[in-house]
Amino acid sequence: MDIKPKLSIVICVYNEEANIAPLYKQIQMAMTGIESEVIFVDDGSTDQTVSEVLKLKGDGIVLVRLKRNYGQSSALAAGIEKANGHYIATIDGDLQNDPADIPAMLNKAIREEWDLVAGIRANRKDGFIWRKLPSKLANMFIRYTTKVKMKDYGCTLKLFKADLAKSLGLYGELHRFIPVLASNEGAAITQMNVNHRAREHGKSKYGIGRTLKVVSDLMLMLFLKKYMQKPIHLFGTSGIFLFMVGGLINVYLLILKLMGHDIWGKPIMILGFLLILAGIQLVTFGLLSEVNIRTYYESQNKKPYKIRNTQNVGTKKLRTAS
C-alpha cells in the first residue's frame, strides 16, 4: 500500500528554464525533515523548461506536461489532481516566492486547524505603477465586493488541505479568486506574511492587460457566492421588478387612452412593452437555472452544504423506538 506524503508542492511553469534548478534546490533545503513530493506542471513551454525538470535528481519529483498553454488555473488544477499529499502547497516557478515559507505555513495549518493558509507578499519586489498599484486596487475592490477579507489575492504561495484543494473547481482564470472559491466551500481561511523576491530570470507573464479579465471573473465569483444555489432570487426578483414597472407604464397609458389621448408611437409605450418582455424572460431564465442547479447537484450526488465534522456529545445512547 502506497503511503501518502505529508505535503505535495505544485509548481506551474511556463518558459522558466533558468529558474528550475535553483528553485528545486531551495525546495530541497526548505523541506528537510518533511515527507513531500514536488509536482512541476509544464504549461506548454516553448523553451528548455521540460529538459531542465528532467535533469533534476531527487525523490518524489513528478512532471506533468500539458499539451499546450492552457493558463495558470488549468495548470494548477492538473497539478492538484495529481497530488497525493495530505496538504498541498502552490508556488510560482519564477523564484519570487520563497520555498522557505512553506514549513511555517504547514505548521500553522496543522497547529491551528486551518483549511487554507494564504500568503501576503510583504515588501513586494515589483514595479509600483504597472504591478503593485493595480494589484492594490484590485485587492481592495475584490475585498469590498466579495466580503472575503484577504490582503493579497495575487500571491500564488498558498497551502491547502488536500480535500479542499481538490474540490475548488479551477478553470478559466479563477486562480485569482481561490480564497473566494474556498470561502464558498465553507473553508477556514487565514493569511500570513511571506517573503517576496525580485525576478532574476525570464519575464513576467502578467501585466495591466489582465484588468478586464479580473473584472469579468469577479462578476462570476459574485454570482457563484450569492446565487449559485438560488439563481431564481437574482433573475426572478429582477424580472418581477421589470414586469411590474412595465405593467404600471402600460396601465398609465391605458388611462390616458381612455381619457381620449393619442398614445400610439410614444417612446414610453415601447419602453413599457420592452420591460414586460424583459421581465418575462428573466423569470423564465431563473426557473430554467433552478432546474439546471438541481440537475447539477442530483446527477452527481452532490450536497448543497459542507460538513466540517460530526461529534458525539455526552455519554448516553439514543434509544430506538419500541
Side-chain angles (χ1 to χ4, degrees):
M1 183 177 65
D2 294 334
I3 300 176
K4 287 186 176 183
K6 190 172 189 178
L7 176 66
S8 297
I9 302 174
V10 176
I11 311 165
C12 299
V13 289
Y14 175 64
N15 292 346
E16 299 286 1
E17 58 183 0
N19 294 318
I20 299 300
L23 175 59
Y24 182 66
K25 184 177 181 180
Q26 293 177 21
I27 291 174
Q28 281 184 307
M29 295 175 61
M31 294 300 108
T32 301
I34 300 176
E35 186 179 0
S36 61
E37 64 177 357
V38 181
I39 301 173
F40 287 92
V41 183
D42 176 64
D43 192 19
S45 295
T46 56
D47 63 356
Q48 298 302 308
T49 295
V50 170
S51 298
E52 291 298 316
V53 174
L54 293 175
K55 292 178 184 177
L56 298 176
K57 303 296 182 181
D59 296 328
I61 303 174
V62 179
L63 172 62
V64 178
R65 296 183 63 184
L66 303 186
K67 289 187 174 181
R68 63 173 177 84
N69 180 244
Y70 288 91
Q72 189 171 354
S73 290
S74 295
L76 277 175
I80 289 171
E81 180 186 358
K82 298 298 182 182
N84 293 308
H86 296 288
Y87 287 85
I88 298 174
T90 59
I91 186 172
D92 272 333
D94 56 11
L95 289 176
Q96 289 195 271
N97 294 144
D98 190 348
D101 288 313
I102 296 177
M105 299 176 81
L106 178 62
N107 184 51
K108 185 177 182 67
I110 295 173
R111 187 180 69 253
E112 301 177 14
E113 298 185 347
W114 295 105
D115 299 314
L116 167 61
V117 180
I120 304 171
R121 291 168 290 185
N123 301 316
R124 185 176 172 185
K125 302 298 190 296
D126 281 322
F128 180 78
I129 297 297
W130 299 108
R131 298 295 300 277
K132 293 171 72 174
L133 180 60
S135 180
K136 284 181 177 293
L137 294 175
N139 286 331
M140 290 173 57
F141 188 53
I142 295 171
R143 282 197 301 269
Y144 176 77
T145 52
T146 65
K147 309 303 181 186
V148 180
K149 306 298 183 181
M150 305 298 293
K151 292 183 178 180
D152 190 356
Y153 277 88
C155 183
T156 302
L157 184 54
K158 296 180 176 68
L159 187 134
F160 315 76
K161 283 185 176 178
D163 58 346
L164 171 63
K166 292 178 181 292
S167 70
L168 289 179
L170 290 174
Y171 56 89
E173 295 191 17
L174 297 185
H175 61 276
R176 304 184 186 99
F177 298 96
I178 282 177
V180 182
L181 292 170
S183 176
N184 290 349
E185 294 290 317
I189 305 172
T190 190
Q191 49 193 336
M192 60 180 285
N193 289 337
V194 296
N195 188 28
H196 188 254
R197 305 176 292 194
R199 176 184 270 273
E200 297 182 7
H201 308 288
K203 296 186 297 183
S204 173
K205 313 303 186 296
Y206 306 105
I208 194 69
R210 60 179 174 166
T211 303
L212 293 180
K213 294 179 181 179
V214 172
V215 174
S216 59
D217 286 336
L218 179 58
M219 293 174 62
L220 174 61
M221 285 296 96
L222 293 176
F223 174 79
L224 293 178
K225 184 174 179 62
K226 294 185 178 181
Y227 300 107
M228 175 62 179
Q229 295 181 17
K230 47 186 178 182
I232 190 65
H233 287 189
L234 173 63
F235 300 110
T237 302
S238 302
I240 292 171
F241 174 76
L242 294 181
F243 184 88
M244 291 177 63
V245 173
L248 289 174
I249 290 174
N250 285 326
V251 170
Y252 167 72
L253 292 174
L254 177 61
I255 294 173
L256 290 181
K257 181 66 175 178
L258 293 176
M259 294 174 63
H261 296 281
D262 183 17
I263 63 171
W264 182 253
K266 288 183 179 292
I268 192 173
M269 182 181 71
I270 299 174
L271 175 63
F273 281 114
L274 287 176
L275 290 176
I276 288 176
L277 289 174
I280 293 172
Q281 288 181 323
L282 283 173
V283 171
T284 302
F285 189 75
L287 294 172
L288 293 175
S289 298
E290 284 286 331
V291 173
N292 285 332
I293 290 299
R294 289 176 181 270
T295 302
Y296 168 76
Y297 281 106
E298 294 175 6
S299 64
Q300 303 179 68
N301 198 29
K302 288 180 175 289
K303 304 296 182 183
Y305 54 83
K306 301 290 182 180
I307 297 176
R308 179 170 299 279
N309 56 47
T310 303
Q311 296 174 275
N312 292 323
V313 180
T315 58
K316 294 182 179 180
K317 295 183 179 180
L318 294 176
R319 294 180 180 179
T320 57
S322 56

